[in-house]
Amino acid sequence: MKLNFKNILLESIIDELETLSKLDKAILQFIHKSMTKKTFNHRVGRSTYELDASDGLRIYDLIETFGLKDYDYVFKMWNFYKKFGDVLFDEEAFDDFSYSKEDYDDATKVIVAKYYLDNIVGREIFPGWTVSFMENDPITMVEEGLLTMFVTNGEFEHIFLPIIDFKSDWLKGDLLTNDENGLGVYFSEEIKVTKYADAIDTIEIPNPIKRLNNLSDESLENYFDFIIENLQVEIEEWDEDIRHYYEKIKPEREG
């Protein structure tokens, strides 16, 4: 059966296509209806906020409503709707759920942020250095531009590094200390291994966006593994000197 009718609602077309599963149909209908929404009620902790509609909110609402864990599937359905939602459909069109890296958008950012919160936060990536919450809501991370990995050593040192960048060839971040009058002075003025009391080092790692072939768990895991491996090299360069200060120099001065 071929459908050759113009100006037919997408949901009517979806209902007629036997090539789609019931879940596929439900998701595409859900996306289609969400495109007309002006606001979304977004829950963060115990609070609920009414936010202006965005693609990030649409994809997050889809994930939460259906309890979806296969983010690659989510993005395939989202990208399929973007490509064919307003054009004529036939059965063959629904055989193509493919996408390329050029299709990555704000929906991608939400998926990456959610994977990061669910799978990376809380992980010790180097002895004593743990990925911690900077923001625990993926929508806020995207809407507020907080797509940042936050790694701390449990003292006063921490790393800020973007978790995704579509344009730059590098992910650029910083290794900082809040102990400016202690470790900061020791590093910058006494042993002179840093230029500033608050900034220990700048971080630049090759942007792994080219490695993100799709949004499957395997691909996202490899993506973040690459980031973490590069951060481990950075941490290893400074960790011994930082530990030496807190374990030997600081106690001697306070004693």
Side-chain angles (χ1 to χ4, degrees):
M1 175 189 70
K2 292 201 174 207
L3 299 175
N4 296 309
F5 308 106
K6 293 184 178 180
N7 302 318
I8 299 178
L9 290 177
L10 175 61
E11 53 259 41
S12 298
I13 298 173
I14 291 173
D15 284 339
E16 294 298 323
L17 290 175
E18 298 177 359
T19 55
L20 291 173
S21 70
K22 289 182 179 180
L23 179 60
D24 295 338
K25 294 178 183 179
I27 286 175
L28 289 170
Q29 289 173 338
F30 186 88
I31 293 172
H32 183 65
K33 291 176 181 177
S34 76
M35 300 304 289
T36 62
K37 296 182 70 172
K38 302 297 183 184
T39 61
F40 282 81
N41 291 323
H42 181 60
R43 187 176 181 85
V44 180
R46 297 182 179 180
S47 302
T48 301
Y49 305 91
E50 185 177 75
L51 302 177
D52 290 340
S54 67
D55 286 348
L57 280 167
R58 291 184 178 98
I59 205 75
Y60 185 75
D61 192 36
L62 172 65
I63 290 170
E64 291 296 296
T65 299
F66 286 86
L68 298 170
K69 299 296 184 182
D70 185 346
Y71 300 142
D72 191 53
Y73 170 73
V74 171
F75 194 73
K76 284 177 179 177
M77 299 302 292
W78 168 256
N79 193 62
F80 177 79
Y81 179 83
K82 285 200 306 179
K83 285 182 177 179
F84 303 112
D86 295 322
V87 298
L88 184 65
F89 285 85
D90 60 32
E91 288 177 315
E92 286 75 20
F94 282 89
D95 291 333
D96 181 13
F97 288 95
S98 63
Y99 61 85
S100 67
K101 294 168 188 174
E102 286 71 30
D103 297 309
Y104 288 162
D105 57 9
D106 279 354
T108 314
K109 293 178 181 179
V110 171
I111 288 173
V112 171
K114 183 159 177 56
Y115 182 90
Y116 166 76
L117 292 172
D118 290 345
N119 298 278
I120 306 301
V121 169
R123 184 185 299 185
E124 185 178 60
I125 64 172
F126 192 90
W129 292 79
T130 303
V131 182
S132 302
F133 280 111
M134 184 174 170
E135 172 55 58
N136 63 0
D137 174 57
I139 293 298
T140 304
M141 290 177 70
V142 174
E143 298 291 339
E144 300 296 328
L146 298 174
L147 288 161
T148 304
M149 181 178 287
F150 178 58
V151 185
T152 177
N153 68 346
E155 295 285 353
F156 297 97
E157 288 64 51
H158 41 268
I159 291 171
F160 294 101
L161 185 78
I163 61 173
I164 192 165
D165 188 326
F166 294 143
K167 298 179 180 179
S168 177
D169 291 331
W170 300 87
L171 295 182
K172 299 180 180 182
D174 296 286
L175 171 57
L176 306 173
T177 181
N178 287 335
D179 187 16
E180 298 175 26
N181 296 321
L183 181 136
V185 169
Y186 176 69
F187 270 20
S188 62
E189 297 181 14
E190 297 182 34
I191 63 174
K192 300 185 184 303
V193 293
T194 64
K195 201 172 178 182
Y196 306 103
D198 59 341
I200 297 174
D201 200 6
T202 56
I203 301 170
E204 291 188 6
I205 68 173
N207 191 343
I209 191 67
K210 294 179 180 179
R211 297 168 176 262
L212 195 59
N213 297 320
N214 54 59
L215 297 175
S216 65
D217 276 0
E218 180 180 4
S219 184
L220 286 165
E221 182 179 2
N222 290 335
Y223 175 84
F224 278 104
D225 280 350
F226 178 83
I227 294 175
I228 289 169
E229 286 168 6
N230 279 269
L231 286 181
Q232 288 169 338
V233 173
E234 175 72 20
I235 294 170
E236 186 174 14
E237 179 181 348
W238 291 100
D239 184 66
E240 185 176 350
D241 287 337
I242 292 172
R243 286 179 180 273
H244 175 73
Y245 172 78
Y246 286 115
E247 294 173 2
K248 185 173 178 59
I249 304 299
K250 185 176 181 180
E252 287 179 354
R253 294 181 176 180
E254 292 179 346

